[in-house]
Amino acid sequence: DQQVKQNSPSLSVQEGRISILNCDYTNSMFDYFLWYKKYPAEGPTFLISISSIKDKNEDGRFTVFLNKSAKHLSLHIVPSQPGDSAVYFCAAGQNTDKLIFGTGTRLQVFP
Amino acid sequence: DVKVTQSSRYLVKRTGEKVFLECVQDMDHENMFWYRQDPGLGLRLIYFSYDVKMKEKGDIPEGYSVSREKKERFSLILESASTNQTSMYLCASSSPTEAFFGQGTRLTVV
């Protein structure tokens, strides 16, 4: 029973365009959501987070949107760059006591 | 500015061996986690710890144990390594608003 789902295993986007990565969750008690980026053979690195009291958080080229009624969050990257090519994981939790991760989406940004 | 350090990047062990994976964090976080990452399965939680000497099972604890004798150190133990434990192992520590991962340990059991 996956509480956090990333239904798209992969995504290809042209450089300069917008990348949209999606994540759905089932547990309405989650109050904190995070996005991580992972390169091969490295640990995930924190990208951006959002708490359940907000519906948008922006940091440079990265914006996370939260739709609590739909239990859905998305990460927008604009403009996309080749260095953004990686696997992206969304995670959800309650005060990050126990983070539940999705299965990841592999983003490929091509020239 | 290293925050979470895992003792090894790559390990090769034989079936049946006892394996220790060490993780140290320098952020004074109370929460620490061990995950494994496998293709198509994402990050799966093995064990986590809220405090020294505290541990709780995650989603896939079978075949593993942990030790948290000091706040900064969280060890994952494979009592008798098996080939299906070949994986990338990731340690993390967290506060209420952030979580950081180590660089990962690629373990191969032959």
Side-chain angles (χ1 to χ4, degrees):
Chain A
D1 177 30
Q2 266 187 298
Q3 296 188 63
V4 178
K5 298 178 184 178
Q6 292 176 258
N7 292 317
S8 298
S10 63
L11 175 68
S12 290
V13 173
Q14 189 172 30
E15 182 179 4
R17 295 190 177 268
I18 185 170
S19 295
I20 300 176
L21 298 115
N22 293 305
C23 181
D24 297 293
Y25 62 96
T26 58
N27 188 345
S28 58
M29 298 300 292
F30 288 144
D31 56 12
Y32 214 82
F33 305 89
L34 307 95
W35 282 95
Y36 286 83
K37 173 181 180 180
K38 186 181 183 301
Y39 293 117
E42 292 184 14
T45 54
F46 171 74
L47 265 181
I48 193 169
S49 63
I50 188 167
S51 73
S52 58
I53 63 172
K54 299 177 72 174
D55 54 20
K56 177 182 175 182
N57 189 24
E58 193 171 352
D59 183 2
R61 296 185 298 114
F62 301 92
T63 303
V64 56
F65 295 92
L66 176 63
N67 182 333
K68 288 187 288 293
S69 60
K71 295 192 181 69
H72 176 84
L73 67 155
S74 59
L75 174 68
H76 292 211
I77 307 172
V78 56
S80 301
Q81 300 173 354
D84 296 330
S85 297
V87 177
Y88 290 78
F89 292 97
C90 68
Q94 295 172 248
N95 292 321
T96 68
D97 281 348
K98 178 182 170 183
L99 287 175
I100 308 295
F101 283 87
T103 50
T105 296
R106 181 175 301 278
L107 174 65
Q108 182 71 43
V109 180
F110 57 93
Chain B
D1 69 331
V2 175
K3 294 179 169 64
V4 181
T5 304
Q6 294 181 228
S7 53
S8 304
R9 290 296 301 272
Y10 300 96
L11 276 178
V12 180
K13 296 292 181 181
R14 294 193 180 277
T15 300
E17 276 193 77
K18 190 168 187 176
V19 182
F20 292 86
L21 302 182
E22 306 287 345
C23 176
V24 177
Q25 52 101 358
D26 62 3
M27 294 167 286
D28 203 34
H29 286 165
E30 292 183 348
N31 303 331
M32 295 188 75
F33 309 83
W34 275 105
Y35 294 88
R36 61 179 281 179
Q37 183 200 8
D38 300 288
L41 297 175
L43 293 170
R44 294 183 293 167
L45 181 63
I46 304 171
Y47 266 98
F48 60 105
S49 169
Y50 286 146
D51 202 349
V52 175
K53 297 193 185 296
M54 272 203 57
K55 59 184 179 184
E56 289 200 33
K57 293 179 180 180
D59 299 320
I60 50 165
E62 296 79 18
Y64 304 94
S65 62
V66 290
S67 172
R68 184 110 181 258
E69 295 296 320
K70 294 184 179 181
K71 190 176 186 179
E72 67 270 19
R73 186 180 296 270
F74 192 35
S75 303
L76 180 70
I77 303 154
L78 286 67
E79 297 291 342
S80 177
S82 62
T83 54
N84 62 12
Q85 292 178 309
T86 291
S87 185
M88 167 72 91
Y89 289 87
L90 293 156
C91 172
S93 72
S94 76
S95 70
T97 56
E98 61 184 10
F100 294 95
F101 283 83
Q103 76 276 30
T105 298
R106 169 68 65 185
L107 173 67
T108 302
V109 182
V110 298

